[in-house]
């Protein structure tokens, strides 16, 4: 989050605020005004980026709130702990939350902001690829509960999203690849052009070449923003973002969250391509193309052998996106096209088809 760096991509999308993208520090100061800043980050990211940010903006250490790294911190418990600490520290309605980290910090920090004194503004500073191109865009915030992931939350648009690509250099490679899975998903639901761009730039991306990363983040923030702006409350086109996620979430749950979300989405996209081909919604060649795309980025394309297809199918039914028990998939009709646009992009899949596709993907 240093000012004036060429490598810094700024995504400024507040309707009111549109500072010059070349001056990041100025943009933050303009948005922050005289607000009192609370920095929220996790134990990995706070020392790397949170503390330097706090120092730069004169935020005291006691106004920096650190959670343990990982999904297990995205809880109401941590939400209470942070909001209580903010209350104890005398944060008022003039607070500004700056959430610096991956999607966990963004979701939790955003939810703190959405609820603190009925809502204070938030600046999202995503430091994982997944958070840069996905989680920080769209205004969804929230926490997990014992009943499932993301079940309590709120829509809360950030004032500003700042992504410093250099942060990706310290990200564990597996986390980077997991973020690329969402990029593959974006490309597959958008166009052949986007898919070709990704595949052509695979080597440069793997090498963390900054100009290529900048293009990646720009393109994919735009893809997500376009979908989200078209559909603020998930009535229709936002569902296309769910491609690969019905099976993906089920695999993730079956792994007891030991597999990364992006890895599970990669597998989910291949299985769902197989489902679409089997239902004759998509050409048979789609399966190979999706699989090749996933494998180009070193992502898994097969279901771990120990997971039984029947169990995965059962797990899809507890996904919150099911409607009255009916699971709706976002299936590809082809690259760049999601099936059943007229029906809100949802397709129900016969159990037998899902089971066959799962079996073929082991
Ligand atoms: N709000 C949304 O629309 C949305 C969309 C997609 C995903 N999500 C949520 O995002 C979460 C996953 O986010 P994630 O994949 O970023 O995981 P994460 O936040 O757990 O980060 C992954 C790991 O990388 C570490 N890390 C982050 N940035 C780093 C950096 N620059 N250098 C070194 N280490 C770094 C973190 O400490 C963590 O250990 C899930 O909870 C998911 O539900 C939300
Ligand atoms: Zn996802």
């Amino acid at each position: 989050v240093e000012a004036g760096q060429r490598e810094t991509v700024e995504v400024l999308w507040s309707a009111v605020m549109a500072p010059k993208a070349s001056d990041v520090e100025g943009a933050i100061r303009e948005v922050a005004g005289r607000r009192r800043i609370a920095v929220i980050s996790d134990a990995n990211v706070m020392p790397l980026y949170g503390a330097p940010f706090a120092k730069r903006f004169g935020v005291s250490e006691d106004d920096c709130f650190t959670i343990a790294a990982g999904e297990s911190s995205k809880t109401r418990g941590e939400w209470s702990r942070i909001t209580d600490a903010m209350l104890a520290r005398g944060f008022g309605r003039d607070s500004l939350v700056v959430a610096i980290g991956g999607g966990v910090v963004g979701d939790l920090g955003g939810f703190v902001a959405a609820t603190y004194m009925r809502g204070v503004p938030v600046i999202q500073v995503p430091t994982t690829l997944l958070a840069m191109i996905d989680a920080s865009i769209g205004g969804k915030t929230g926490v997990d509960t014992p009943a499932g992931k993301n079940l309590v939350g709120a829509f809360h648009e950030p004032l500003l999203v700042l992504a410093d690509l250099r942060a990706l250099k310290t990200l564990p490679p597996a986390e980077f690849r997991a973020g690329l899975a969402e990029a593959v998903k974006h490309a597959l639901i958008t166009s052949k052009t986007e898919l070709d761009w990704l595949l052509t730039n695979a080597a440069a991306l793997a090498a963390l070449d900054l100009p290529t990363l900048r293009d990646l983040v720009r393109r994919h923030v735009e893809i997500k923003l376009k979908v989200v702006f078209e559909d603020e409350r998930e009535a229709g086109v936002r569902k296309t973002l769910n491609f690969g996620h019905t099976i993906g979430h089920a695999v993730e749950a079956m792994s007891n969250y030991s597999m990364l979300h992006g890895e599970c989405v990669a597998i989910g996209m291949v299985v769902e391509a197989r489902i679409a081909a089997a239902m004759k919604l998509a050409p048979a060649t789609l399966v190979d193309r999706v699989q090749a795309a996933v494998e180009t980025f070193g992502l898994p394309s097969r279901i771990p052998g120990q997971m039984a297809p029947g169990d995965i199918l059962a797990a899809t039914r507890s996904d919150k996106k099911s409607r009255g028990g009916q699971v709706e998939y976002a299936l590809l009709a082809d690259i760049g096209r999601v099936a059943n646009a007229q029906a809100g992009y949802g397709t129900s899949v016969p159990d037998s088809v899902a089971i066959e596709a799962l079996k073929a993907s082991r």
Side-chain angles (χ1 to χ4, degrees):
V1 270
E2 283 193 356
Q5 296 288 333
R6 266 195 60 230
E7 301 84 355
T8 306
V9 170
E10 308 87 347
V11 183
L12 310 166
W13 54 304
S14 153
V16 237
M17 291 288 176
K20 284 284 284 181
S22 58
D23 179 8
V24 177
E25 185 166 343
I28 294 173
R29 291 196 192 282
E30 195 176 334
V31 171
R34 306 176 72 84
R35 291 181 173 275
R36 177 167 168 199
I37 294 175
V39 172
I40 300 180
S41 191
D42 74 20
N44 294 330
V45 179
M46 188 64 97
L48 285 170
Y49 308 108
F53 175 96
K55 199 160 168 238
R56 182 93 164 221
F57 287 89
V59 180
S60 81
E61 236 173 81
D62 292 340
D63 288 353
C64 295
F65 305 95
T66 308
I67 58 171
E71 189 71 28
S72 58
S73 290
K74 220 176 90 175
T75 59
R76 285 173 293 199
E78 285 303 283
W79 171 83
S80 314
R81 187 181 65 82
I82 294 172
T83 49
D84 282 346
M86 285 175 66
L87 291 166
R89 300 267 316 142
F91 275 92
R93 282 178 219 290
D94 64 342
S95 311
L96 167 69
V97 170
V98 178
I100 306 179
V104 166
V105 165
D107 280 8
L108 177 70
F111 189 54
V112 166
T115 47
Y116 193 74
M117 305 219 161
R118 297 200 186 84
V120 298
V122 62
I123 292 180
Q124 292 283 0
V125 185
T127 60
T128 64
L129 180 60
L130 180 132
M132 288 180 189
I133 66 170
D134 189 355
S136 67
I137 313 294
K140 282 188 185 179
T141 73
V143 294
D144 303 331
T145 79
K149 276 186 66 173
N150 300 321
L151 292 179
V152 172
F155 281 92
H156 193 55
E157 298 282 358
L159 279 182
L160 188 65
V161 181
L162 299 167
D164 190 321
L165 302 166
R166 290 164 301 173
L168 299 176
K169 305 246 176 200
T170 56
L171 189 64
E175 296 285 354
F176 180 73
R177 282 196 295 277
L180 283 172
E182 301 287 357
V184 170
K185 178 197 76 177
H186 281 159
L188 285 169
I189 64 171
T190 301
S191 65
K192 192 170 169 306
T193 312
E194 286 302 332
L195 183 62
D196 288 344
W197 186 90
L198 264 191
L199 296 174
T200 308
N201 288 287
L205 291 170
L208 300 180
D209 173 64
L210 285 172
T212 313
L213 286 173
R214 181 177 51 215
D215 289 344
L216 170 79
V217 172
R218 279 218 174 108
R219 295 176 94 102
H220 285 262
V221 163
E222 249 169 53
I223 292 172
K224 174 130 192 212
L225 270 182
K226 192 161 172 286
V227 171
V228 167
F229 275 147
E230 269 174 42
D231 185 3
E232 289 264 20
R233 298 281 147 156
E234 196 145 352
V237 68
R238 198 163 180 159
K239 289 213 188 94
T240 61
L241 295 170
N242 213 33
F243 169 57
H245 279 63
T246 302
I247 296 294
H249 280 145
V251 170
E252 199 178 355
M254 291 286 301
S255 81
N256 279 319
Y257 298 91
S258 67
M259 291 170 68
L260 294 177
H261 173 72
E263 295 170 342
C264 301
V265 169
I267 295 168
M269 291 191 289
V270 177
V271 177
E272 293 183 18
R274 225 166 236 135
I275 290 174
M279 291 176 76
K280 305 256 185 287
L281 291 165
T285 50
L286 182 75
V287 181
D288 290 343
R289 298 180 75 183
V290 172
Q291 183 162 345
V294 158
E295 287 171 357
T296 298
F297 293 101
L299 288 158
S301 59
R302 305 209 148 262
I303 289 172
Q306 73 277 14
M307 289 186 194
D311 292 344
I312 297 173
L313 182 65
T316 62
R317 296 196 219 287
S318 49
D319 202 68
K320 78 174 156 157
K321 292 203 166 97
S322 70
R323 240 200 231 159
Q326 186 61 282
V327 182
E328 302 243 304
Y329 289 71
L331 297 177
L332 284 187
D334 209 340
I335 290 171
R337 199 156 56 84
V338 178
N340 279 333
Q342 74 290 349
Y345 301 98
T347 304
S348 26
V349 173
D351 286 357
S352 56
V353 174
I355 290 286
E356 283 311 310
L358 286 163
K359 276 189 190 155
S361 307
R362 290 233 268 178

